[in-house]
């Protein structure tokens, strides 16, 4: 699946609402929608200028919807789905987050930390609509970079 618009991505992210997953470190089940919002919000706090990193934290939640039950393929599936829309860096962050490359890359390490904290953080991370402008900004930047004169 390849997402072609921010609207399609927003619909998929909204579909995460009510989809539950167990945190990798154990504990109760967590709503994927809330986890995505918390992960992105944590990244916004620590790296306010890095919109692509924030978006990577938000969109990694779509993997379980695209590949339910196949945990090994979820990150690749999510990364492939957003690659054309959000660009190579978001693609690499989402894919790399699951591969264990975080030990060598500061951005991947921060993404992994926010993801882990997002499972257990107990704060109101806002609503998905708050992220529309950021998604549109990253999409517009990616389309300009990919344009051919």
């Amino acid at each position: 699946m390849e997402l072609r618009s921010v609207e399609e991505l927003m619909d998929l992210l909204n579909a995460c609402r009510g989809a539950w997953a167990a945190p990798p470190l154990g504990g109760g089940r967590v709503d994927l929608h809330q986890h995505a919002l918390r992960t992105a919000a944590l990244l916004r706090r620590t790296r306010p200028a890095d919109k692509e990193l924030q978006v990577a934290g938000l969109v990694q939640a779509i993997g379980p919807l695209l590949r339910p039950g196949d945990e090994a393929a979820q990150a690749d599936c999510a990364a492939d789905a957003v690659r054309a829309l959000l660009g190579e860096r978001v693609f690499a962050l989402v894919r790399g987050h699951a591969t264990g490359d975080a030990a060598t890359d500061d951005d991947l390490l921060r993404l992994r930390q926010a993801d882990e904290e997002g499972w257990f953080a107990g704060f109101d991370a806002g609503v998905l609509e708050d992220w529309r402008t950021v998604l549109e900004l990253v999409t517009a930047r990616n389309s300009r970079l990919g344009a051919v004169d």
Side-chain angles (χ1 to χ4, degrees):
M1 169 183 214
E2 181 178 300
L3 297 170
R4 297 182 185 157
S5 69
V6 170
E7 196 60 41
E8 285 182 5
L9 178 55
M10 292 287 288
D11 288 345
L12 193 54
L13 288 165
N14 272 313
C16 291
R17 185 174 288 127
W20 297 88
L25 302 175
R29 294 172 4 127
V30 176
D31 182 272
L32 285 175
H33 182 78
Q34 286 302 311
H35 177 255
L37 292 173
R38 286 192 299 258
T39 301
L42 288 164
L43 291 164
R44 180 182 273 172
R45 288 179 184 174
T46 59
R47 302 265 176 88
D50 194 342
K51 305 303 183 208
E52 291 174 331
L53 181 62
Q54 296 165 25
V55 165
L58 183 68
V59 303
Q60 65 184 353
I62 66 174
L65 289 182
L66 298 174
R67 283 291 180 113
D70 187 359
E71 290 183 31
Q74 290 173 356
D76 286 344
C77 194
D80 289 340
V82 300
R83 185 179 204 167
L85 185 64
L86 300 175
E88 291 300 314
R89 180 159 180 252
V90 174
F91 164 79
L93 287 166
V94 173
R95 175 174 262 170
H97 168 69
T99 64
D101 294 338
T104 60
D105 185 296
D106 188 52
D107 293 337
L108 286 172
L109 178 61
R110 185 63 222 139
L111 178 57
R112 178 159 296 156
Q113 290 169 339
D115 177 60
E116 289 173 4
E117 189 176 341
W119 287 110
F120 304 103
F123 65 92
D124 181 6
V127 297
L128 181 60
E129 194 60 36
D130 294 341
W131 289 93
R132 181 181 295 275
T133 303
V134 177
L135 289 168
E136 289 171 346
L137 177 74
V138 172
T139 299
R141 186 180 310 152
N142 179 56
S143 67
R144 281 196 306 272
L145 293 174
V148 176
D149 291 330

